[in-house]
């Protein structure tokens, strides 16, 4: 009997322990990044080499579990596949793993589920980018590593070229004590052969900037060109040099990259392969704003140390124009270390720490259904009080009087079950018996009024615990988890001059705790199956009355958002600057009369528009007096909201109602959208105003640098369960 108990315990231990109760080997797995340089805080693009030394066929699916220490973050399954000797390479894309500290481990645990067996292949400690460590990647579209794109730079070798496309030298302030200021921010240059350039814009999230000549661009097929255009107009940065002759088939594509439209072209390509710009300009480099992204077209070769090339690189890195003068005059960015960021340690400044500002808690507060309310406290206390009165005095007095206290064992369970049933029924009446889905979608437009990228935050509020299985097609989905630590607020750092090391350590722990966004059990984590991001499915368990927040990102058109009103608008190239003709934008209110729900208009940019007297507009009410800002920014304080202003005092950072009264919830959404569009965070966003698309838990890629006026139209459906923010950049 004793031996049977020991055997049972060993069997149970083997069943619940990874690596036990299953076959080990004989194969193994190797993980290799798809690209030579890895961009941090972006999806992980990996080549998984499965080595199988045996001659017999191995059939089944590969499973990769992604761990941070002992916490399971997500799981990926391949489609059914067959592996023969010596092995096979599979493509794998996963959300990034953000570590809190250098001592944490990033682990991939791999198993192969066969027809009749499960084979434990390997466990890998992967060297991962630390949470505070930013690695940005510049891709050069060339066949050879040491090649400079034709027609881009004059008298420059590959080393000079690689150094000239980075902006790290502008961070050094000249003091020997500040030599470590770049710690935590790295910039890499890697070569991308044209044949390996992805044909899906979501796979271009591996890069911050791409540089190429028309000679290499001509080698791309139609799908690769379309992916490159969508990625650029959706927030990427692309540099093109003219290497004549240029194929005429690239004419329309090159015109869009240069910021032109079919109605208002910027350049044309002749039959002889010459590129002609419609406007005379002495500049050798044409700077453009295609969609919400950035692009340059190098018309003639320039020297790598010239101001013209430096300005072009600052443009591609989306550096704020307020920094241009400092770079030109002093060859460094303008910032004050104590004012612009707080250091964790005087000897280890970490100014490039990513800002977590869109946690599950923040978006839950913003999107929680208004008709959902919890059970009032007085009902809970009343039911509990009645239960205690029946069980304690009732049992003692009533049953004691009739000498029936032996029935206590039956009365107590009956009373407990009755009270529980009543509370469940009451909670269902208050919380509802149907699932709720609330969405906030950012839609970014190009100059042709075509959507080029959309980012959707969806809050699921299920009435019952259930498993959801969603098919995905060219949409990258990440799980922000259930309501947890709010990342909206940033802990206030201690004084660098007077604080002790213990105070710095406590502050670091509080700040870093925000990175633990996904706080889910093993059964609730997202499980991906298939080829991400092209065609796959996501399976997850959602829990009753527990908000779950999900982010989806795509460059493809969508069908569930009404965009019919866009057809009535002229191309963005014909839109005047808000400061010159604000009445034009107020007239846009006529396009919303056929829509249900509310609509508001939000202005961002460097020029405060003023409404001319007598301009026709809808009647609007003033919610509060507009606050004057020291610059064109929107305050990032969580307590402040954007002011609703009248037509006679329209200002940057305020919004105007296009359909009458605005609900408090709509006002909160406008504040959130405005704050995400114009980031004023300390650290990196003191230098840059925008980063290239990320599509991860971080929302930093939603920012649009306000170098040009930005018009945002926010539309809510009738019951305010879906909000859509349409964002337009007025480039001319």
């Amino acid at each position: 009997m004793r031996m049977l108990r020991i055997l049972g315990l060993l069997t149970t231990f083997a069943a619940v322990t990874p690596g036990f109760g299953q076959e080990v080997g004989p194969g193994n797995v190797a993980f290799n990044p798809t690209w030579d340089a890895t961009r941090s805080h972006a999806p992980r693009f990996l080549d998984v080499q499965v080595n199988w030394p045996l001659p017999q066929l191995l059939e089944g699916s590969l499973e990769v579990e992604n761990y941070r220490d002992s916490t399971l973050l997500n799981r990926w399954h391949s489609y059914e596949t067959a592996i023969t000797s010596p092995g096979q390479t599979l493509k794998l894309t996963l959300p990034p793993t953000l570590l809190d500290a250098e001592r944490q481990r990033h682990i991939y645990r791999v198993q192969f589920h066969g027809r009749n067996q499960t084979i434990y292949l390997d466990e890998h400690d992967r060297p991962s980018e630390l949470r505070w460590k930013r690695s940005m990647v510049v891709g050069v579209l060339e066949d050879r590593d040491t090649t400079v794109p034709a027609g881009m730079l004059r008298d420059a070798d590959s080393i000079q070229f690689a150094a000239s496309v980075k902006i790290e030298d502008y961070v050094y302030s000249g003091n020997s004590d500040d030599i470590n200021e770049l710690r935590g921010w790295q910039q890499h240059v890697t070569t991308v052969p044209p044949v390996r350039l992805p044909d899906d814009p979501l796979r271009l999230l591996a890069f911050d900037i791409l540089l190429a000549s028309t000679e290499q661009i001509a080698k791309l097929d139609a799908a690769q060109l379309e992916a490159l255009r969508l990625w650029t107009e959706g927030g990427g940065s692309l540099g093109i040099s003219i290497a004549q002759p240029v194929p005429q088939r690239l004419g329309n594509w090159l015109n869009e990259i240069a910021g032109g439209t079919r109605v208002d072209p910027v350049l044309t390509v002749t039959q002889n392969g010459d590129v002609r710009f419609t406007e005379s300009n002495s500049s050798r480099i044409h700077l453009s704003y295609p969609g919400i992204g950035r692009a340059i077209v190098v018309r003639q070769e320039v020297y790598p140390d010239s101001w013209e090339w430096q300005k072009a690189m600052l443009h591609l890195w989306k550096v704020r124009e307020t920094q241009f003068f400092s770079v030109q005059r002093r060859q460094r960015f303008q910032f004050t270390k104590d004012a612009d960021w707080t250091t964790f340690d005087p000897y280890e400044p970490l100014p490039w720490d990513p800002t977590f500002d869109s946690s599950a808690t923040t978006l839950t507060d913003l999107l929680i259904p208004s008709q959902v309310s919890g059970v009032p406290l007085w009902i809970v206390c009343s039911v509990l009080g009645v239960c205690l009165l029946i069980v304690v005095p009732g049992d003692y007095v009533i049953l004691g009087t009739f000498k029936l206290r032996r029935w206590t064992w039956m009365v107590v369970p009956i009373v407990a079950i009755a009270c529980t049933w009543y509370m469940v029924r009451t909670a269902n009446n208050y919380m509802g018996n149907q699932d709720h889905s609330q969405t906030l979608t950012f839609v970014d437009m190009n100059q042709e009024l075509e959507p080029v990228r959309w980012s959707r935050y969806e809050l699921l509020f299920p009435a019952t615990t259930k498993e959801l299985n969603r098919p995905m097609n060219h949409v990258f989905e990440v799980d922000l988890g259930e309501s947890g630590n709010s990342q909206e607020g940033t802990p206030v750092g201690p004084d660098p001059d007077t604080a002790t090391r213990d105070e710095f350590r406590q502050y670091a722990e509080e700040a870093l705790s925000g990175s633990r966004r996904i706080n889910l059990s093993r059964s609730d984590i997202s499980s991906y199956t298939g080829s991400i991001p092209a065609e796959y499915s996501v399976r997850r368990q959602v829990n009753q009355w527990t908000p779950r927040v999900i982010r989806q990102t795509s460059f493809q058109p969508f069908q569930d958002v009404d965009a019919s009103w866009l057809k009535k608008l002229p191309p963005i190239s014909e839109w005047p600057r808000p400061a010159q003709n604000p009445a034009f934008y107020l007239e846009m209110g006529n396009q919303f009369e056929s829509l249900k729900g509310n609509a508001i208009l939000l202005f961002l940019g460097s020029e405060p528009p003023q409404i001319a007297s007598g301009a026709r507009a809808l009647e609007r009410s003033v919610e509060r007096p507009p606050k004057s800002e020291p610059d064109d920014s929107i305050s990032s304080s969580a307590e402040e909201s954007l002011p609703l202003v009248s037509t006679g005092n329209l200002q940057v950072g305020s919004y105007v109602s296009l359909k009458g009264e605005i609900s408090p919830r709509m006002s909160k959404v406008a504040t959130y959208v405005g704050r995400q569009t114009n980031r004023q965070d300390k650290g990196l966003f003191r230098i840059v105003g925008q980063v290239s698309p990320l599509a991860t838990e971080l929302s930093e890629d939603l920012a649009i640098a306000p170098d040009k006026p930005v018009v945002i139209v926010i539309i809510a459906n009738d019951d305010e369960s879906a909000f859509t923010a349409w964002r337009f950049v007025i480039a001319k």
Side-chain angles (χ1 to χ4, degrees):
M1 191 65 181
R2 183 178 180 183
M3 292 300 297
L4 289 176
R5 291 178 180 176
I6 295 176
L7 182 61
L9 290 174
L10 291 176
T11 304
T12 304
F13 179 76
V16 300
T17 303
F20 292 90
Q22 55 191 349
E23 185 177 344
V24 179
N28 59 71
V29 174
F31 291 89
N32 299 301
T34 302
W35 311 105
D36 293 337
T38 302
R39 184 186 181 199
S40 62
H41 314 113
R44 287 281 183 266
F45 300 98
L46 302 168
D47 294 330
V48 184
Q49 176 64 41
V50 183
N51 301 310
W52 183 245
L54 302 183
Q56 62 262 34
L57 192 68
L58 183 64
E59 295 181 282
S61 63
L62 187 71
E63 177 189 86
V64 178
E65 292 184 332
N66 186 19
Y67 284 83
R68 180 178 55 211
D69 284 342
S70 60
T71 302
L72 178 61
L73 301 180
N74 45 63
R75 184 186 293 113
W76 173 78
H77 293 270
S78 70
Y79 287 129
E80 289 289 325
T81 185
I83 299 177
T84 59
S85 177
Q88 181 179 343
T89 299
L90 303 175
K91 296 292 185 181
L92 172 61
T93 303
L94 286 176
T97 301
L98 306 180
L99 305 183
D100 293 347
E102 193 169 357
R103 64 180 180 272
Q104 283 191 324
R105 300 172 63 200
H106 178 197
I107 302 170
Y108 291 142
R109 184 169 291 160
V110 187
Q111 301 178 97
F112 193 91
H113 297 282
R115 299 290 176 84
N116 302 314
Q117 61 183 350
T118 295
I119 301 176
Y120 181 75
L121 292 178
D122 220 338
E123 181 177 290
H124 290 261
D125 256 337
R126 297 293 301 169
S128 176
E129 303 294 342
L130 298 185
R131 188 189 71 90
W132 48 264
K133 190 175 185 180
R134 288 186 186 269
S135 292
M136 295 183 170
V137 178
V138 179
V140 182
L141 205 64
E142 287 290 344
D143 291 313
R144 295 178 300 170
D145 291 342
T146 59
T147 305
V148 178
M152 189 165 286
L153 290 182
R154 179 177 299 177
D155 300 335
D157 56 24
S158 59
I159 298 177
Q160 292 173 315
F161 171 70
S164 69
V165 300
K166 300 178 182 179
I167 58 175
E168 57 187 21
D169 289 341
Y170 303 138
V171 177
Y172 179 60
S173 64
N175 299 325
S176 59
D177 294 339
D178 297 333
I179 196 170
N180 289 325
E181 284 179 355
L182 261 180
R183 180 177 173 85
W185 185 15
Q186 298 178 346
Q187 297 151 41
H188 306 277
V189 180
T190 185
T191 302
V192 181
V195 294
R196 293 188 59 198
L197 189 74
D199 58 2
D200 188 336
L202 285 172
R203 296 192 65 85
L204 293 176
L205 301 181
F207 305 99
D208 292 273
I209 297 175
L210 284 170
L211 300 173
S213 65
T214 53
E215 179 184 12
Q216 301 298 326
I217 292 293
K219 300 178 182 180
L220 304 179
D221 58 30
Q224 291 174 309
L225 288 174
E226 180 66 5
L228 196 55
R229 179 189 71 85
L230 288 172
W231 173 78
T232 304
E233 294 185 346
S237 292
L238 178 62
I240 301 292
S241 60
I242 304 298
Q244 297 176 344
V246 178
Q248 196 171 15
R249 70 181 180 89
L250 295 180
N252 294 332
W253 182 89
L254 197 58
N255 175 58
E256 288 195 53
I257 296 300
T261 63
R262 292 182 291 269
V263 178
D264 186 15
V266 173
L267 58 83
T268 57
V269 178
T270 65
Q271 293 183 351
N272 297 328
D274 296 331
V275 177
R276 296 180 180 177
F277 285 79
T278 57
E279 297 181 1
S280 59
N281 192 338
S282 60
S283 175
R284 295 184 181 91
I285 302 179
H286 174 78
L287 309 182
S288 64
Y289 294 81
I292 65 167
R294 302 291 183 92
I296 63 170
V297 179
V298 182
R299 304 166 63 176
Q300 299 178 17
E301 292 181 335
V302 295
Y303 290 103
D305 57 351
S306 66
W307 166 242
E308 201 165 14
W309 178 251
Q310 292 177 0
K311 183 179 179 181
M313 288 299 101
L314 296 177
H315 176 75
L316 289 182
W317 281 108
K318 307 178 180 75
V319 173
R320 295 184 181 273
E321 288 189 351
T322 53
Q323 297 281 358
F324 279 37
F325 177 77
S326 179
V327 171
Q328 184 180 14
R329 183 176 179 180
R330 293 175 288 185
Q331 290 298 301
R332 68 180 179 89
F333 293 127
Q334 177 65 39
F335 60 83
T336 303
K337 190 159 54 177
D338 292 339
D340 289 345
W341 50 68
T342 301
T343 58
F344 295 130
D345 188 305
Y347 300 101
E348 190 180 358
L350 306 177
W352 320 114
D353 199 31
T355 304
F356 299 101
D357 62 346
S358 60
S359 68
T361 299
T362 301
L363 287 165
T364 297
D365 295 340
L366 189 70
L367 297 178
I368 193 70
S370 57
Q371 63 268 34
V372 173
S373 59
V375 179
L377 182 61
W378 69 269
I379 294 181
V380 177
C381 295
S382 299
V383 174
L384 180 60
V386 170
C387 179
L388 293 177
L389 287 174
I390 294 176
V391 170
V392 183
D395 177 49
Y396 183 80
V397 176
I398 299 176
L399 295 183
T401 301
F402 295 98
K403 297 181 180 181
L404 297 175
R405 286 180 181 162
R406 63 181 181 275
W407 295 102
T408 298
W409 64 272
M410 181 181 293
V411 172
V412 172
I414 291 175
V415 172
I417 293 173
C419 292
T420 302
W421 173 82
Y422 178 79
M423 284 302 303
V424 170
R425 182 177 179 182
T426 303
N428 283 331
N429 291 334
Y430 276 93
M431 306 290 285
N433 293 311
Q434 61 181 0
D435 297 337
H436 295 275
S437 176
Q438 310 281 304
T439 61
L440 170 59
T441 307
F442 292 79
V443 184
D444 299 316
M445 313 294 291
N446 66 4
Q447 300 299 307
E448 300 274 7
L449 290 177
E450 299 171 341
V452 289
R453 180 183 69 158
W454 57 267
S455 300
R456 170 172 295 171
Y457 291 97
E458 181 180 10
L459 181 140
L460 301 175
F461 193 80
T464 58
T465 298
K466 64 185 67 176
E467 184 176 87
L468 300 179
N469 193 359
R470 290 182 170 184
M472 293 292 166
N473 189 8
H474 296 285
V475 177
F476 192 75
E477 179 173 296
V478 293
D479 204 330
L480 275 66
E482 297 173 346
S483 295
N485 295 325
S486 176
Q487 297 159 9
E488 187 69 33
T490 301
V492 178
D495 189 339
D497 298 326
T498 61
T500 64
R501 185 172 296 273
D502 290 339
E503 290 175 333
F504 274 111
R505 185 179 297 108
Q506 181 181 358
Y507 165 66
E509 292 175 356
E510 293 177 358
L512 293 172
S513 64
S515 67
R516 295 186 176 274
R517 293 166 307 287
I518 299 178
N519 186 21
L520 303 171
S521 64
R522 290 181 61 91
S523 61
D524 296 341
I525 61 101
S526 297
S527 182
Y528 301 85
T529 302
S531 178
I532 305 173
E535 185 177 355
Y536 64 103
S537 62
V538 184
R539 187 177 69 254
R540 62 172 58 87
Q541 178 175 288
V542 292
N543 299 310
Q544 183 182 35
W545 301 335
T546 304
R548 187 77 166 267
V549 182
I550 298 164
R551 179 185 178 181
Q552 297 176 344
T553 304
S554 179
F555 295 87
Q556 301 297 321
F558 47 82
Q559 307 295 330
D560 58 345
V561 176
D562 183 13
S564 59
W565 59 278
L566 291 170
K567 300 178 181 179
K568 304 178 182 179
L569 301 179
I572 297 182
S573 59
E574 300 179 12
W575 292 17
R577 299 179 75 87
Q580 299 172 353
N581 187 9
F584 170 86
Y585 297 97
L586 296 177
E587 290 291 336
M588 290 175 61
N590 295 330
Q591 313 301 331
F592 297 85
E593 294 178 357
S594 60
L595 299 176
K596 295 182 179 180
N598 289 322
I600 61 179
L601 192 64
L602 174 63
F603 289 97
L604 300 175
S606 56
E607 298 176 304
Q610 296 294 329
I611 301 299
S613 59
R616 191 186 73 81
L618 301 176
E619 291 295 330
R620 298 165 176 85
S621 61
V622 180
E623 183 181 49
R624 61 175 65 87
K627 294 184 61 176
S628 60
E629 298 286 348
D631 52 20
D632 61 341
S633 67
I634 293 180
S635 173
S636 60
S637 172
E639 290 77 18
E640 295 184 3
S641 60
L642 299 181
L644 172 66
V645 301
S646 65
T647 59
N649 192 21
L650 185 60
Q651 295 182 352
V652 170
S654 60
Y655 64 88
V656 177
S657 167
L658 296 176
K659 298 194 68 177
E661 296 293 333
I662 294 297
S663 66
R665 192 180 188 199
M666 189 73 165
S667 178
K668 289 173 60 178
V669 169
T671 302
Y672 183 81
V673 171
R675 187 163 56 247
Q676 291 287 12
T677 302
N678 187 4
R679 300 290 289 258
Q680 292 293 323
D681 305 332
K682 295 180 179 180
L684 184 72
F685 278 91
R686 293 294 193 193
I687 295 175
V688 306
Q690 182 179 349
V691 295
S692 294
L694 289 170
T696 59
E697 306 97 308
L698 296 175
S699 64
E700 291 180 337
D701 58 325
L702 295 179
I704 300 178
D707 299 340
K708 299 292 183 180
V710 180
V711 176
I712 306 175
V713 179
I714 305 176
I715 301 175
N717 62 353
D718 198 29
D719 60 353
E720 291 192 345
S721 62
F723 299 87
T724 307
W726 305 82
R727 306 194 297 181
F728 310 84
V729 176
I730 314 301
K732 292 188 177 181

